[in-house]
Every structure is written in C-alpha cells, then in structure tokens.
Amino acid sequence: MILAAAIDDVSYAHPGADLPSLERVSIQIAAGEAVAILGPSGAGKTTLLALLDGRLRGWLGRVSVLGTQLDPDQRPPREQCADTGFIFQEFALVERSTVFRNVLNGRLGRMPCLRAAFGSPSTRDCEIARTALADCGIADLADRRVDSLSGGQRQRVAIARCLAQEPKLILADEPVSNLDPVRAVDILTLLTKVARARGAAILFSSHQPDLAGRFADRIVGLRSGSILFSIPAAQLSEDRTTALYRQEVSVSGVSLRAVN
C-alpha cells in the first residue's frame, strides 16, 4: 500500500499544557484515501492536522508525509510543503483582495522565490488558478472581493486556493463547521470529489458523524489525544459515536474518562 502519511507512536504537549494533546498516536493514510477524524472539542484533531502540515515542533515519535520523514525540530523544506494543502476552519483569506488573487496565493509555494516575493505569477500559474475556480464552481466570482461573499462562497475560495497548490495530501480543519446543513453537504461533496479527481488523499476533522460517515472512506475516533478507533465508514455506529462523545467511555473493555 502506498501511503500519503504515516504517524507512528507520536506524543505531543503544547507548551505549558498539563496534559498531552496527542498521546502515542499511530495512524496511516493511504494515497487517495478520504479519512475523517471525529472527536469532542479538545480531542487533539487540530493538533493532529498541524502535525502533518509540518507546523508542530518538539513532538516525539515518527512522522512521514508523502514518503519523507518530518523533523520534529524544523519545518519541512519549501518544496515539500507545497505538496500538502491546508484548508482552515476560518477560511484564512485576504478579505480585501479578489477571489482570483486569493486563489493565486495557492501557487506561491510552487513559484520561484523571487517571483513569489514580487507576486508575479506565470501564465501557467494563472491557468491553474482559473481551473481551480471552475472546478469549485466560482469562476464567475473571480473579480469579486472576498469580503462581499457568503460563508459558503468563501469556503469554495479556500478550497480553490488549496487546489491551485496542486497538493497530494489535503488537510481540512472542520471545513463545514461555519455552514448550514445544506451548504455543508455541498462543500464536502465538492471537497471529496475534487480530491479524488486529482488522486489526492484527504484528512478532514468534523463534529458531524453523519457527514463524516457519508463522505469518508474511513473514520478515526480521537479523544483526549488518543485514538479510540479507526474503522471503515460503514462500521460507524450510533454506539461508537455515543461512546466517543460522552463523559465516560468503554472501548474494547477498557474504561476511559475524558478530561475536559
């Protein structure tokens, strides 16, 4: 099996924290696979995504992303970072800039440093950005300012920016938490569809088990920094979901009490 990412026995505590955010976590993500992470607030979902994005320092264990080992003491090289795309919960767009310019920002990691510094995209960069806009159904919004858009439209811009980066691994931190149910379905449909069309693996966090089960191939249950289960989406049951989110859970006969 070709892996997009592999985490082996990783532990991490945020500076000053009393408890670890991740504790002896091991997980593998296959190339082209769609994986959803479920878990209550504070479970470590965002920390796990940041780890794979190369933004954490001082973790223990082994992490490999797209065949390259990460170093716990330094950020991955620029060319390696471009292969991993990140979609933020709060969009992280330049509000006073146009949609097209925001999507072009996804190309910065692919540009030569001098061209990126001066914001001088090539013809190919512009073509890739326009293709991403079209794939996300927002080509007609290219000249609009981001601060004039709805939440659903902004999330499409964030996805298009990620696609313009041409990533092989897409990480999404609760990408539909700010959207109503109908737009949430639309966005997850789009996100998983474009990822599969490009052969990219996707790992997204969620608080919505029904949507996770509908759009992911596999579900990972995370609580208090530990993985409680990693199962095919079809095996996600109400009992597992209830156990994951309630105060005291019992998994495989072992009682685990949440620390909130």
Side-chain angles (χ1 to χ4, degrees), residues 12 29 37 49 67 71 77 100 105 109 123 131 133 177 213 220 227 244 253:
Y12 173 78
I29 302 166
I37 312 172
L49 292 170
D71 188 327
F100 183 62
N105 287 342
T123 299
T131 297
L133 284 168
S177 64
V220 173
I227 291 179
L244 180 63

Side-chain angles (χ1 to χ4, degrees), residues 75-222:
R75 186 164 178 77
R78 181 173 181 263
E79 58 273 15
Q80 182 182 340
C81 290
D83 287 332
T84 301
F86 202 100
I87 299 171
F88 295 88
Q89 181 179 359
E90 299 295 336
F91 314 137
L93 300 170
V94 182
E95 294 285 320
R96 296 173 64 85
S97 188
T98 66
V99 167
F100 183 62
R101 178 54 63 177
N102 270 274
V103 175
L104 265 179
N105 287 342
R107 296 297 303 163
L108 293 175
R110 298 292 187 187
M111 297 180 192
C113 291
L114 191 61
R115 186 180 288 276
F118 283 97
S120 302
S122 66
T123 299
R124 182 172 181 274
D125 291 323
C126 291
E127 289 174 351
I128 291 172
R130 292 195 184 281
T131 297
L133 284 168
D135 287 347
C136 292
I138 52 173
D140 59 324
L141 302 179
D143 296 327
R144 290 265 301 273
R145 274 183 27 163
V146 167
D147 57 10
S148 70
L149 305 180
S150 69
Q153 289 171 329
R154 292 182 190 201
Q155 193 61 293
R156 286 177 180 264
V157 176
I159 293 171
R161 179 185 58 191
C162 178
L163 296 180
Q165 189 176 322
E166 297 182 302
K168 299 174 184 176
L169 172 63
I170 297 174
L171 307 171
D173 188 10
E174 298 191 27
V176 298
S177 64
N178 295 320
L179 306 178
D180 63 55
V182 173
R183 288 184 174 85
V185 170
D186 289 343
I187 290 299
L188 283 178
T189 299
L190 169 66
L191 186 54
T192 52
K193 179 180 177 180
V194 295
R196 288 192 172 102
R198 287 163 169 76
I202 178 169
L203 179 65
F204 66 93
S205 60
S206 177
H207 279 301
Q208 303 176 56
D210 56 333
L211 290 181
R214 179 175 172 181
F215 290 100
D217 301 314
R218 183 158 51 97
I219 308 293
V220 173
L222 190 67

